[in-house]
Amino acid sequence: MGFFSFFSKEKKETLDKGLSKTKESVFGKIARAVAGKSKVDDEVLDNLEEVLITSDVGVETTLNIIERIEKRAAAEKYMNAQELNTILRDEIAALLTENNSDDVADFEAPIGKKPYVIMVVGVNGVGKTTTIGKLAYQFKKAGKSVYLGAADTFRAAAVEQLDIWGGRVGVPVIKQKMGADPASVAYDTLNSAVANNADVVIIDTAGRLHNKVGLMNELTKIKNVMKKVVPDAPDEVLLVLDGSTGQNAFEQAKQFTLATEVTAMAITKLDGTAKGGVVIGISDQFKIPVKYIGLGEGMEDLQVFRKKEFVDSLFGENA
C-alpha cells in the first residue's frame, strides 16, 4: 500500500501549491513541444529533451529519461503525443524509485538509536538553519526530545537565528561565543544531549565552499570530536540545497559530496520557483536520498519527500 495513507489532504495541497509553478512551466513547454503532432517522433523527443534540460532536470538525467521513452516507443510501435504526459510521469516515477532508497513514513528517528545525531551541511542562504528549526519542530511534534547545536560559529546571525528557532519550537540550543571552535560546540551539544537522555541531536555547521580542503577538514574534525561522546555519530549527514537556484544546486551537491560523506538531502524553496525539476536530476545523479523538501515558510511546510506524491503533484494524478 506504500505510505499514501499517511499523506494528509493538507500535505497534498501544500505539495500541489508548492510545485504549481514548476508544473505550469513544464506543462506549458511540453504542450508547445507536441503542438500539431499526432505521434511521438524524433522531433517531439528532441523538443522534449530541450524542455527537460531547461526545466533544470539536468543533462544526464534528461538523456536517461529520453532513452527510456524511446525504448517504450519502440516496444509499443505507435505512441500518441497526447499520451506523452502519462508516459513521462511513469518513467520519471520509475527513475526515482530505482535511484533512491525507500520513502520514510514520516519524521522519525530510528527506534533504539539514542541520541540520533544529524549533522547539517550546506552553503549560507539555502535555508539550512530554517530547515533545522522545522526538523526540530517535526521531531518534537512526534514526541521526541531534541537538542540543537549552533556550530556555525563564524556568523553571529546563524547562531542568533538558531536560537530564535529553538525558542519558537521549545528545544534547547547549545552555543558558544562567536568564532568559537565548531567542534567544541558539537562536543558540548552531544554531552548535554546524552546527559539529558535526548532522542535527536541536530548540529548546524558553517556554510562555506570557497575552500573545499578547509571545509573537509572542519567537517572531519566535527565528526571526530562527536565520536568521543557518541562513537558512531553522526548517524546522518544532511545536505541542504536551495531548489530555486537550479543548476547551482547541482554544483553545490557535487562540492559537498566530495568534501564529506553526505547521506541524505533536503531541497528547499521549491515554492515560488519553476525549477522543481532539479529534485529529479539531483536524486538521479547523486544516488543519495532526497529525504525532505521545503515548500514554504511555515513550520509544516517542510515535508518528507515521497516519490509517488511528488510526481503526481508535478504531473497531475490523472495525467
Side-chain angles (χ1 to χ4, degrees):
M1 184 174 70
F3 291 115
F4 190 77
S5 55
F6 294 93
F7 203 67
S8 69
K9 185 185 174 193
E10 290 78 12
K11 285 182 179 177
K12 186 68 170 69
E13 285 170 357
T14 300
L15 185 60
D16 287 346
K17 186 181 172 189
L19 295 178
S20 61
K21 287 200 174 178
T22 298
K23 181 178 177 179
E24 286 162 20
S25 172
V26 172
F27 271 111
K29 290 174 182 174
I30 291 174
R32 288 191 291 276
V34 300
K37 292 285 185 180
S38 61
K39 66 173 185 172
V40 175
D41 57 17
D42 287 346
E43 187 184 349
V44 169
L45 289 173
D46 286 345
N47 291 341
L48 180 60
E49 186 177 312
E50 189 180 333
V51 167
L52 292 173
I53 289 171
T54 56
S55 300
D56 290 281
V57 171
V59 175
E60 286 184 50
T61 301
T62 293
L63 294 176
N64 194 347
I65 292 167
I66 295 296
E67 188 182 331
R68 296 169 79 110
I69 292 173
E70 282 176 331
K71 282 181 183 170
R72 192 154 161 185
E76 296 178 18
K77 303 297 180 208
Y78 182 87
M79 188 187 287
N80 191 311
Q82 276 70 46
E83 295 173 329
L84 192 58
N85 285 343
T86 304
I87 291 155
L88 191 57
R89 182 185 71 177
D90 291 349
E91 293 306 327
I92 288 173
L95 192 73
L96 287 172
T97 302
E98 287 166 20
N99 288 305
N100 229 324
S101 64
D102 294 335
D103 291 345
V104 292
D106 220 322
F107 294 90
E108 55 184 22
I111 296 166
K113 180 69 189 74
K114 203 170 178 177
Y116 186 76
V117 182
I118 304 168
M119 185 167 87
V120 183
V121 301
V123 300
N124 297 330
V126 295
K128 183 161 52 79
T129 310
T130 302
T131 298
I132 291 169
K134 291 177 181 177
L135 271 177
Y137 166 77
Q138 292 289 358
F139 281 126
K140 189 179 180 195
K141 189 175 154 190
K144 306 292 183 187
S145 57
V146 184
Y147 269 66
L148 303 180
D152 184 354
T153 59
F154 297 96
R155 289 190 312 131
V159 178
E160 286 169 19
Q161 195 184 358
L162 197 67
D163 220 11
I164 289 166
W165 270 104
R168 196 181 294 170
V169 176
V171 299
V173 177
I174 307 302
K175 58 186 180 179
Q176 293 181 12
K177 65 181 187 301
M178 170 125 177
D181 179 15
S184 171
V185 177
Y187 182 83
D188 285 356
T189 306
L190 260 65
N191 262 331
S192 295
V194 169
N196 290 282
N197 202 30
D199 296 302
V200 180
V201 176
I202 310 175
I203 304 288
D204 190 12
T205 65
R208 296 165 303 157
L209 257 185
H210 62 271
N211 181 347
K212 200 165 66 200
V213 174
L215 175 73
M216 196 181 298
N217 291 341
E218 185 180 292
L219 295 177
T220 301
K221 183 181 175 186
I222 292 171
K223 284 180 178 179
N224 290 341
V225 166
M226 287 197 290
K227 287 181 194 303
K228 293 179 180 178
V229 186
V230 179
D232 51 359
D235 299 287
E236 186 174 302
V237 178
L238 180 69
L239 172 61
V240 181
L241 299 167
D242 177 351
S244 70
T245 63
Q247 292 306 298
N248 215 4
F250 272 92
E251 188 54 36
Q252 288 173 22
K254 199 180 294 179
Q255 297 296 327
F256 272 96
T257 51
L258 288 171
T260 191
E261 192 180 345
V262 175
T263 62
M265 296 192 195
I267 301 182
T268 66
K269 306 185 186 181
L270 290 173
D271 57 307
T273 181
K275 297 178 183 286
V278 76
V279 175
I280 299 161
I282 284 176
S283 188
D284 175 45
Q285 290 304 303
F286 293 95
K287 308 295 187 278
I288 295 168
V290 173
K291 200 168 183 181
Y292 308 109
I293 51 173
L295 299 158
E297 295 300 315
M299 292 265 209
E300 299 278 358
D301 291 338
L302 183 72
Q303 288 192 5
V304 166
F305 178 60
R306 294 178 172 88
K307 296 180 279 291
K308 179 188 181 298
E309 282 73 24
F310 180 87
V311 175
D312 283 348
S313 285
L314 198 56
F315 284 89
E317 293 193 43
N318 299 313

